Amino acid sequence: MNLNTQFLHGNFKCEDKTGATLAPIYQSSAFGKSSAEEIEKIFNNELPGFAYSRISNPTTFAFEQRIAYIEKGISSTATSSGMSAISMTFLNIVQSGDEIISTTSIFGGTLDLWSDLKKIKITVKFVDEITEENLSKVVSSKTKAVFAETIGNPKLNVTDIKKAADAAHKFNLPFILDNTAATPYLVTAIPLGADIVINSTSKYINGHSNSIGGIITDGGKFDWNNGNYPSLEKYKKYGKLVFSAALKNDTLRNYGACISPQNSFLNSIGLETLGLRMERHCENALRLAQCMENKPGIHSVNYPLLDTNPWHDIAKKQFGGKGGGIFTMRLYTKHRAFEFIDRLKYAIIITNIGDTKTLVVHPSSTIYAHSDNRTKEKAGVYDDMIRISVGIEDIDDLISDFTDALEYVNTKYGNEVSE
Ligand SMILES: *Cc1c(COP(=O)(O)O)cnc(C)c1O
């Protein structure tokens, strides 16, 4: 099955009972059973079934099955948000005193989570890029995992997944990857070596900005029974599924970060057009980035597929000639950037990515407002930079919108640009 066919048919058939063409919304908190014994068995994982929607729900289960198939994982677990997908993944495997290694150029919310983990004595050590050499400088006997994003948001640095996974495995550490900005459309990360793949479904998978959600996919290849993960020990009997068994039976169930059935339903709808939308997002982003690249009044444009981009080669190879739907550009000063944003007709001013509509934001004063200058610099956030999540509008409209806004800014502030 090719990818677009997988988005529609992978691990999905019309519902048995009714023939419904999408798993219906089972908007029920709990599910009644015919006997005390039956519910006992469901609670002890001796019988498949649904008992309570914090633990599992048929609509959510259908969505999880579809994602697991597409990601080539052995199990997926949906969560209330992308952030809870990240926090549940780590709370599933670490305990007080443990360490995590993360790259520096990642989503601002994840950086904030890394700070919060200090409260429970979990330390995050940073590397700019995941290489064996960089890891060897920060790894210790307490290290439990290595984390990166496929396309760092907003630096747009591209992780070489195979290389990073190989480096983590040299130290017997799992490689955990946030694939939100790339999506399984650009790359399926588990066959390249990622052990756990996380997506904020709020972005491209849902695709229409109508629900917050996250999903964790377990690759099933990492040896969690190597003595390094005491919290997983009681799930040893589940073999390859040990990580997911602990996640579903302990961590997610007890912290309670479940997704609502309604949101799982909306995500399943989104998933079906992921390929179509991504194709257009990528095409539009490339065209718009190319068009803005050498214009007067633009300091620089950052998009992985541009010839001048430091990640051009790996992006081209790893993403099959696509570059994703996001680019950033710098306009020399903050007030030029602000004026440009305000002048755009179609781009919505918003802290989000992955909508059908074009979105624009000034990361330094929003998503990175809580970060110091050094953190911002490491994450590729500059005062004159804007991030554009390119939508699926007609490209000619976007090009004329962006060109007009730039002309306006250049006319108003022309003499301030020092080239
Ligand atoms: C948005 C985002 C998240 C967080 O997802 P939410 O659904 O907003 O909680 C995590 N990682 C990346 C790369 C994101 O873009």
Side-chain angles (χ1 to χ4, degrees):
M1 224 189 275
N2 290 305
L3 199 54
N4 281 299
T5 312
Q6 289 181 32
F7 291 149
L8 296 160
H9 298 285
N11 231 353
F12 175 75
K13 290 201 184 70
C14 290
E15 204 202 25
D16 282 350
K17 271 179 246 150
T18 62
T21 55
L22 263 176
I25 308 170
Y26 285 90
Q27 193 68 40
S28 186
S29 307
F31 300 86
K33 300 296 156 200
S34 56
S35 70
E37 196 189 340
E38 188 186 356
I39 201 162
E40 180 195 34
K41 287 201 164 135
I42 289 174
F43 254 80
N44 291 304
N45 295 318
E46 286 159 10
L47 201 69
F50 301 96
Y52 192 64
S53 283
R54 171 160 50 71
I55 302 169
S56 62
N57 171 282
T59 316
T60 297
F61 183 66
F63 175 58
E64 292 171 337
Q65 296 276 89
R66 297 179 77 165
I67 293 284
Y69 183 90
I70 291 159
E71 294 279 21
K72 300 190 165 52
I74 58 166
S75 174
S76 291
T77 305
T79 60
S80 58
S81 68
M83 284 319 302
S84 63
I86 298 171
S87 51
M88 291 303 106
T89 295
F90 285 94
L91 290 174
N92 199 41
I93 55 172
V94 297
Q95 53 188 37
S96 206
D98 285 347
E99 296 174 0
I100 298 163
I101 299 173
S102 164
T103 51
T104 45
S105 54
I106 53 172
F107 178 64
T110 310
L111 281 175
D112 291 344
L113 173 67
W114 294 161
S115 297
D116 284 348
L117 288 180
K118 283 182 203 149
K119 285 187 233 159
I120 50 172
K121 297 200 165 45
I122 289 156
T123 310
V124 178
K125 301 237 170 122
F126 289 97
V127 293
D128 288 336
E129 195 193 337
I130 296 169
T131 61
E132 206 179 324
E133 195 194 339
N134 287 349
L135 291 183
S136 71
K137 289 180 195 152
V138 291
V139 76
S140 82
S141 60
K142 307 249 175 68
T143 310
K144 293 296 155 82
V146 176
F147 175 85
E149 290 178 8
T150 309
I151 303 177
N153 174 9
K155 192 175 184 179
L156 307 183
N157 55 306
V158 178
T159 297
D160 184 329
I161 298 170
K162 184 165 183 328
K163 246 185 168 163
D166 286 349
H169 295 157
K170 283 261 160 64
F171 299 92
N172 288 323
L173 292 169
F175 179 50
I176 299 179
L177 183 70
D178 180 338
N179 198 35
T180 301
T183 82
Y185 175 79
L186 289 190
V187 62
T188 319
I190 287 169
L192 293 176
D195 297 293
I196 303 291
V197 175
I198 296 170
N199 276 282
S200 163
T201 58
S202 321
K203 313 297 172 49
Y204 290 104
I205 290 181
N206 171 281
H208 302 73
S209 293
N210 60 32
S211 56
I212 299 292
I215 194 149
I216 303 160
T217 302
D218 180 351
K221 288 186 210 137
F222 186 73
D223 177 19
W224 300 100
N225 297 324
N226 63 6
N228 223 356
Y229 302 91
S231 62
L232 301 183
E233 240 145 60
K234 75 184 213 231
Y235 293 98
K236 253 186 173 162
K237 65 173 179 195
Y238 291 94
K240 281 198 308 189
L241 278 162
V242 57
F243 174 94
S244 292
L247 181 66
K248 289 175 193 286
N249 287 287
D250 271 348
T251 312
L252 185 63
R253 179 188 292 206
N254 299 338
Y255 283 94
C258 57
I259 192 169
S260 75
Q262 171 87 26
N263 286 356
S264 292
F265 177 79
L266 293 168
N267 288 342
S268 291
I269 296 180
L271 182 62
E272 299 202 341
T273 57
L274 178 65
L276 275 180
R277 286 182 285 106
M278 283 304 287
E279 194 178 325
R280 178 70 83 93
H281 284 301
C282 293
E283 257 173 48
N284 279 1
L286 176 63
R287 289 273 310 272
L288 198 54
Q290 278 171 337
C291 164
M292 299 310 284
E293 194 181 12
N294 296 312
K295 287 230 183 323
I298 297 291
H299 168 281
S300 52
V301 172
N302 179 16
Y303 181 67
L305 271 198
L306 295 179
D307 292 335
T308 50
N309 193 276
W311 298 284
H312 171 270
D313 293 349
I314 179 64
K316 209 165 172 187
K317 178 174 141 212
Q318 189 167 260
F319 303 147
K322 303 276 189 338
I326 304 168
F327 75 93
T328 63
M329 58 186 198
R330 296 178 59 183
L331 289 107
Y332 289 102
T333 66
K334 178 178 172 180
H335 65 259
R336 279 173 53 88
F338 268 42
E339 192 87 45
F340 180 84
I341 288 176
D342 292 348
R343 196 72 191 172
L344 290 171
K345 267 195 307 209
Y346 298 120
I348 304 172
I349 306 167
I350 206 165
T351 57
N352 193 12
I353 57 168
D355 197 335
T356 44
K357 302 171 187 81
T358 295
L359 315 175
V360 64
V361 75
H362 179 253
S364 181
S365 61
T366 55
I367 319 161
Y368 275 81
H370 306 297
S371 301
D372 56 33
N373 285 339
R374 199 184 129 73
T375 309
K376 285 184 186 180
E377 196 185 301
K378 288 263 180 198
V381 174
Y382 303 92
D383 221 28
D384 66 336
M385 187 185 92
I386 66 172
R387 182 188 72 192
I388 300 110
S389 170
V390 183
I392 60 172
E393 295 93 344
D394 283 309
I395 186 64
D396 292 343
D397 290 329
L398 293 180
I399 287 176
S400 59
D401 193 14
F402 275 61
T403 312
D404 291 351
L406 182 63
E407 250 173 55
Y408 174 85
V409 173
N410 283 346
T411 310
K412 193 161 169 191
Y413 298 109
N415 54 358
E416 286 185 19
V417 180
S418 48
E419 307 219 20

mmCIF file of all heavy atoms in Angstrom, residues 43 63 116 136 150 166 168 186 237 248 300 307 313 340 349 358 387:
data_model
loop_
_atom_site.group_PDB
_atom_site.id
_atom_site.type_symbol
_atom_site.label_atom_id
_atom_site.label_comp_id
_atom_site.label_asym_id
_atom_site.label_seq_id
_atom_site.Cartn_x
_atom_site.Cartn_y
_atom_site.Cartn_z
ATOM 1 N N PHE A 43 -10.132 -5.400 32.927
ATOM 2 C CA PHE A 43 -9.228 -4.619 33.777
ATOM 3 C C PHE A 43 -7.854 -5.256 33.894
ATOM 4 O O PHE A 43 -6.862 -4.574 34.086
ATOM 5 C CB PHE A 43 -9.847 -4.418 35.172
ATOM 6 C CG PHE A 43 -10.342 -3.018 35.337
ATOM 7 C CD1 PHE A 43 -11.557 -2.629 34.799
ATOM 8 C CD2 PHE A 43 -9.563 -2.064 35.986
ATOM 9 C CE1 PHE A 43 -11.998 -1.324 34.910
ATOM 10 C CE2 PHE A 43 -9.997 -0.765 36.103
ATOM 11 C CZ PHE A 43 -11.222 -0.382 35.566
ATOM 12 N N PHE A 63 -8.370 5.404 15.928
ATOM 13 C CA PHE A 63 -7.362 6.380 15.487
ATOM 14 C C PHE A 63 -5.947 5.865 15.785
ATOM 15 O O PHE A 63 -5.047 5.931 14.930
ATOM 16 C CB PHE A 63 -7.621 7.729 16.173
ATOM 17 C CG PHE A 63 -6.583 8.771 15.882
ATOM 18 C CD1 PHE A 63 -6.314 9.152 14.571
ATOM 19 C CD2 PHE A 63 -5.865 9.360 16.911
ATOM 20 C CE1 PHE A 63 -5.338 10.112 14.296
ATOM 21 C CE2 PHE A 63 -4.895 10.325 16.639
ATOM 22 C CZ PHE A 63 -4.632 10.690 15.332
ATOM 23 N N ASP A 116 10.578 22.532 33.776
ATOM 24 C CA ASP A 116 9.660 22.066 34.824
ATOM 25 C C ASP A 116 10.125 20.751 35.442
ATOM 26 O O ASP A 116 9.888 20.498 36.622
ATOM 27 C CB ASP A 116 8.247 21.854 34.250
ATOM 28 C CG ASP A 116 7.528 23.176 34.036
ATOM 29 O OD1 ASP A 116 8.021 24.208 34.544
ATOM 30 O OD2 ASP A 116 6.474 23.170 33.372
ATOM 31 N N SER A 136 28.761 11.609 23.812
ATOM 32 C CA SER A 136 29.778 11.111 24.754
ATOM 33 C C SER A 136 30.171 12.183 25.767
ATOM 34 O O SER A 136 30.598 11.873 26.867
ATOM 35 C CB SER A 136 31.001 10.593 23.998
ATOM 36 O OG SER A 136 31.692 11.693 23.443
ATOM 37 N N THR A 150 12.349 16.143 14.301
ATOM 38 C CA THR A 150 12.768 15.863 12.920
ATOM 39 C C THR A 150 13.133 17.170 12.223
ATOM 40 O O THR A 150 14.196 17.290 11.608
ATOM 41 C CB THR A 150 11.644 15.163 12.137
ATOM 42 O OG1 THR A 150 11.202 14.051 12.903
ATOM 43 C CG2 THR A 150 12.133 14.698 10.792
ATOM 44 N N ASP A 166 21.372 5.836 15.423
ATOM 45 C CA ASP A 166 22.574 5.001 15.567
ATOM 46 C C ASP A 166 23.450 5.507 16.714
ATOM 47 O O ASP A 166 23.982 4.715 17.497
ATOM 48 C CB ASP A 166 23.397 4.999 14.268
ATOM 49 C CG ASP A 166 22.732 4.160 13.176
ATOM 50 O OD1 ASP A 166 21.772 3.430 13.504
ATOM 51 O OD2 ASP A 166 23.160 4.251 12.005
ATOM 52 N N ALA A 168 22.509 7.267 19.400
ATOM 53 C CA ALA A 168 21.867 6.965 20.692
ATOM 54 C C ALA A 168 22.046 5.480 21.039
ATOM 55 O O ALA A 168 22.353 5.132 22.184
ATOM 56 C CB ALA A 168 20.386 7.322 20.641
ATOM 57 N N LEU A 186 6.272 13.142 5.363
ATOM 58 C CA LEU A 186 7.655 13.398 4.929
ATOM 59 C C LEU A 186 8.586 12.245 5.271
ATOM 60 O O LEU A 186 9.498 11.945 4.512
ATOM 61 C CB LEU A 186 8.199 14.683 5.558
ATOM 62 C CG LEU A 186 7.641 16.012 5.069
ATOM 63 C CD1 LEU A 186 8.464 17.155 5.626
ATOM 64 C CD2 LEU A 186 7.637 16.103 3.549
ATOM 65 N N LYS A 237 6.463 -8.965 31.148
ATOM 66 C CA LYS A 237 5.773 -10.087 30.505
ATOM 67 C C LYS A 237 5.143 -9.694 29.160
ATOM 68 O O LYS A 237 4.771 -10.562 28.373
ATOM 69 C CB LYS A 237 4.719 -10.673 31.437
ATOM 70 C CG LYS A 237 3.579 -9.724 31.758
ATOM 71 C CD LYS A 237 2.495 -10.430 32.555
ATOM 72 C CE LYS A 237 1.390 -9.429 32.862
ATOM 73 N NZ LYS A 237 0.453 -9.756 33.852
ATOM 74 N N LYS A 248 0.069 2.639 28.881
ATOM 75 C CA LYS A 248 -1.403 2.536 28.885
ATOM 76 C C LYS A 248 -1.942 2.148 30.260
ATOM 77 O O LYS A 248 -3.004 2.617 30.671
ATOM 78 C CB LYS A 248 -1.872 1.520 27.826
ATOM 79 C CG LYS A 248 -1.700 2.026 26.385
ATOM 80 C CD LYS A 248 -2.057 0.946 25.387
ATOM 81 C CE LYS A 248 -1.621 1.267 23.966
ATOM 82 N NZ LYS A 248 -2.419 2.289 23.287
ATOM 83 N N SER A 300 17.327 37.261 5.246
ATOM 84 C CA SER A 300 17.551 35.874 4.840
ATOM 85 C C SER A 300 16.256 35.080 4.955
ATOM 86 O O SER A 300 15.361 35.455 5.708
ATOM 87 C CB SER A 300 18.623 35.222 5.723
ATOM 88 O OG SER A 300 18.296 35.400 7.081
ATOM 89 N N ASP A 307 18.673 25.946 -1.922
ATOM 90 C CA ASP A 307 20.037 25.489 -2.225
ATOM 91 C C ASP A 307 21.040 25.979 -1.200
ATOM 92 O O ASP A 307 22.042 25.319 -0.919
ATOM 93 C CB ASP A 307 20.459 25.999 -3.616
ATOM 94 C CG ASP A 307 19.646 25.313 -4.704
ATOM 95 O OD1 ASP A 307 19.156 24.186 -4.442
ATOM 96 O OD2 ASP A 307 19.484 25.909 -5.793
ATOM 97 N N ASP A 313 20.846 19.008 1.920
ATOM 98 C CA ASP A 313 21.136 17.655 1.442
ATOM 99 C C ASP A 313 20.360 16.593 2.211
ATOM 100 O O ASP A 313 19.754 15.701 1.611
ATOM 101 C CB ASP A 313 22.637 17.353 1.516
ATOM 102 C CG ASP A 313 23.415 18.214 0.528
ATOM 103 O OD1 ASP A 313 22.759 18.862 -0.331
ATOM 104 O OD2 ASP A 313 24.656 18.246 0.619
ATOM 105 N N PHE A 340 5.420 44.058 8.751
ATOM 106 C CA PHE A 340 5.179 43.093 7.671
ATOM 107 C C PHE A 340 4.028 42.148 8.050
ATOM 108 O O PHE A 340 3.106 41.926 7.268
ATOM 109 C CB PHE A 340 6.466 42.297 7.386
ATOM 110 C CG PHE A 340 6.315 41.274 6.292
ATOM 111 C CD1 PHE A 340 6.454 41.629 4.957
ATOM 112 C CD2 PHE A 340 6.018 39.942 6.594
ATOM 113 C CE1 PHE A 340 6.302 40.677 3.942
ATOM 114 C CE2 PHE A 340 5.869 38.987 5.589
ATOM 115 C CZ PHE A 340 6.013 39.365 4.259
ATOM 116 N N ILE A 349 -2.425 35.899 12.198
ATOM 117 C CA ILE A 349 -1.381 36.114 13.207
ATOM 118 C C ILE A 349 -1.712 35.221 14.393
ATOM 119 O O ILE A 349 -2.687 35.442 15.108
ATOM 120 C CB ILE A 349 -1.319 37.600 13.630
ATOM 121 C CG1 ILE A 349 -1.155 38.487 12.398
ATOM 122 C CG2 ILE A 349 -0.201 37.826 14.636
ATOM 123 C CD1 ILE A 349 -1.383 39.962 12.665
ATOM 124 N N THR A 358 -2.713 29.921 5.854
ATOM 125 C CA THR A 358 -1.368 30.409 6.151
ATOM 126 C C THR A 358 -1.368 31.136 7.502
ATOM 127 O O THR A 358 -2.280 31.909 7.797
ATOM 128 C CB THR A 358 -0.882 31.327 5.022
ATOM 129 O OG1 THR A 358 -0.756 30.525 3.840
ATOM 130 C CG2 THR A 358 0.458 31.956 5.343
ATOM 131 N N ARG A 387 7.984 33.475 11.520
ATOM 132 C CA ARG A 387 7.796 32.098 11.065
ATOM 133 C C ARG A 387 6.478 32.011 10.313
ATOM 134 O O ARG A 387 5.461 32.514 10.781
ATOM 135 C CB ARG A 387 7.747 31.146 12.261
ATOM 136 C CG ARG A 387 7.596 29.672 11.852
ATOM 137 C CD ARG A 387 7.345 28.771 13.040
ATOM 138 N NE ARG A 387 6.003 28.957 13.559
ATOM 139 C CZ ARG A 387 5.570 28.475 14.726
ATOM 140 N NH1 ARG A 387 6.407 27.796 15.500
ATOM 141 N NH2 ARG A 387 4.335 28.686 15.126
#
